[in-house]
């Protein structure tokens, strides 16, 4: 009973399993690559915004904000990981009495980044105010409820399975609500896009489902057992999901609004695309 209570208090399976040197190093490497990638792309997104028509510049600028916010959060996870284990006789033992690892900070970070990612989508698809605010809010409300109910549920991952599963299901209901709202924005995106770009919102839809869908899988993983492989694979899933739903997503949206800028007659964007078929088509339409 005492042991169970102690386990429940620890909150994260990372504090219950001993890792091999390989598993510990893999975890460090995954977290390091994650924060490194996010920080590196701050500069890219800021510079990229200069090529865009003014109404779209905020799209990559928001990606830069997401990169900084996620980068800091992942750097924190990396530092926590490093200080949560001690090397004893060739294995890494959790130091839970002093310092304990948690993925809960990620949920705090998503509370900031997810509303930004969703708002970016509505801006990129050219939705005008006040409809923009309405649509953004309609996505943000279920998204934040999804994150906070999931945050509450994940504290049960060390063995309180009813808490874990009930709140996991409630969170999934909010996720389904969010998906419906995103679908609505995608439809507006298809309707609003110039003919040459109508495939982009449709592809972004499938990309959204595939990348955001990784998070609930990572959440559910501790039910497969408490061992080093599960711990490392979960960090890997979070990392793949983070890089694709924030960084690569930002690249896709930026490329889309670059094309839109060019098609709407913004010369620096057309020049930036000059070597692509779309860029030369726009340039020849202008008569040069
Ligand atoms: C939780 C709890 C279990 C059920 C579901 C979840 C969904 C999480 C998602 C998170 C997306 C995060 C993003 C972060 C970017 O910074 C909360 C894990 C459905 C979809 C995109």
């Amino acid at each position: 009973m005492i042991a169970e209570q102690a386990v429940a208090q620890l909150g994260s399976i990372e504090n219950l399993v001993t890792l091999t040197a390989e598993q510990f190093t893999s975890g460090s490497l995954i977290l390091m690559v994650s924060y490194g990638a996010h920080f590196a792309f701050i500069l890219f997104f800021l510079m990229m915004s200069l090529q865009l028509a003014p109404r779209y510049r905020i799209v990559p600028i928001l990606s830069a904000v997401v990169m900084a916010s996620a980068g800091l959060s992942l750097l924190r996870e990396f530092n926590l990981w490093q200080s949560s284990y001690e090397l004893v006789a060739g294995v890494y033992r959790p130091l839970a009495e002093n310092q304990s690892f948690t993925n809960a900070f990620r949920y705090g970070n998503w509370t900031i980044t997810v509303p930004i990612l969703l708002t970016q989508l509505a801006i990129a698809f050219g939705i005008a105010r006040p409809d923009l605010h309405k649509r953004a809010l309609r996505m943000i409300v279920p998204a934040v409820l999804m994150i906070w109910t999931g945050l509450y549920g994940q504290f049960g991952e060390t063995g309180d399975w009813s808490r874990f599963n009930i709140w996991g299901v409630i969170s999934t209901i909010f996720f389904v609500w969010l998906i419906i709202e995103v679908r609505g924005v995608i439809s507006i995106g298809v309707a609003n896009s110039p003919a040459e770009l109508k495939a982009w919102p449709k592809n972004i839809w499938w990309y959204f489902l595939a990348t955001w869908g990784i998070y609930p899988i990572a959440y559910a993983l501790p039910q497969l057992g408490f061992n080093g492989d599960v711990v490392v694979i979960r960090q890997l899933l979070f990392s793949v999901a983070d890089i694709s739903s924030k960084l690569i997503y930002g690249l896709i949206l930026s490329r889309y609004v670059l094309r839109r800028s060019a098609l709407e007659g913004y010369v620096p964007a057309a020049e930036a695309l000059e070597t692509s078929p779309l860029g030369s088509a726009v340039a020849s339409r202008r008569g040069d």
Side-chain angles (χ1 to χ4, degrees):
M1 194 56 206
I2 289 167
E4 257 174 44
Q5 271 170 3
V7 163
Q9 275 165 12
L10 295 174
S12 288
I13 63 163
E14 281 80 0
N15 305 309
L16 304 179
V17 300
T18 296
L19 304 177
T20 65
E22 196 180 327
Q23 287 164 339
F24 177 78
T25 307
S26 304
S28 302
L29 181 140
I30 290 164
L31 288 164
M32 188 202 76
V33 169
S34 301
Y35 79 74
H38 285 85
F39 281 138
F41 271 80
I42 295 174
L43 203 58
F44 172 87
F45 283 118
L46 291 179
M47 300 313 288
M48 159 93 205
S49 70
L50 301 175
Q51 297 180 330
L52 304 176
R55 63 185 301 208
Y56 298 122
R57 283 189 194 153
I58 194 74
V59 171
I61 291 173
L62 287 175
S63 276
V65 172
V66 168
M67 293 301 107
S69 173
L72 282 168
S73 165
L74 292 165
L75 177 58
R76 183 79 188 89
E77 290 289 345
F78 172 80
N79 288 334
L80 199 52
W81 175 272
Q82 294 278 309
S83 57
S84 295
Y85 295 91
E86 64 174 348
L87 181 59
V88 183
V91 292
Y92 285 83
R93 218 178 53 189
L95 266 173
E97 323 69 88
N98 307 318
Q99 176 82 60
S100 59
F101 188 81
T102 177
N103 286 299
F105 296 156
R106 290 180 180 275
Y107 292 67
N109 185 244
W110 300 342
T111 306
I112 309 297
T113 54
V114 164
I116 298 177
L117 294 170
L118 295 168
T119 307
Q120 267 182 303
L121 192 68
I123 299 172
F125 289 157
I127 302 179
R129 294 173 186 80
D131 212 27
L132 172 65
H133 298 145
K134 218 168 59 193
R135 285 287 175 173
L137 195 66
R138 277 173 54 179
M139 294 188 286
I140 291 170
V141 168
V144 169
L145 291 172
M146 170 191 83
I147 294 165
W148 290 353
T149 49
L151 170 62
Y152 186 75
Q154 62 86 40
F155 286 112
E157 72 174 30
T158 47
D160 188 348
W161 299 124
S162 51
R163 174 177 181 161
F164 188 71
N165 287 322
I166 289 168
W167 289 95
V169 168
I170 294 171
S171 174
T172 304
I173 294 168
F174 289 123
F175 187 35
V176 172
W177 173 10
L178 168 64
I179 288 173
I180 294 168
E181 291 297 336
V182 170
R183 180 65 242 190
V185 169
I186 296 273
S187 302
I188 299 176
V190 176
N192 272 355
S193 290
E196 294 90 333
L197 301 181
K198 291 220 186 275
W200 283 67
K202 291 179 197 158
N203 293 337
I204 290 170
W205 163 245
W206 294 114
Y207 187 77
F208 166 83
L209 288 182
T211 54
W212 289 48
I214 300 172
Y215 289 96
I217 298 172
Y219 175 96
L221 224 55
Q223 295 193 88
L224 294 184
F226 298 173
N227 61 63
D229 286 340
V230 167
V231 163
V232 174
I233 290 168
R234 181 162 64 157
Q235 291 305 321
L236 183 65
L237 286 181
F238 273 138
S239 182
V240 169
D242 282 339
I243 292 176
S244 43
S245 71
K246 293 186 265 250
L247 200 163
I248 300 175
Y249 170 84
L251 287 177
I252 295 171
L253 285 190
S254 299
R255 303 301 294 171
Y256 168 78
V257 289
L258 179 65
R259 280 159 179 75
R260 260 188 101 131
S261 301
L263 288 164
E264 289 169 11
Y266 187 68
V267 177
E271 283 173 356
L273 286 166
E274 218 139 31
T275 50
S276 74
L278 179 82
S280 22
V282 173
S284 63
R285 235 186 263 169
R286 290 202 331 262
D288 30 70

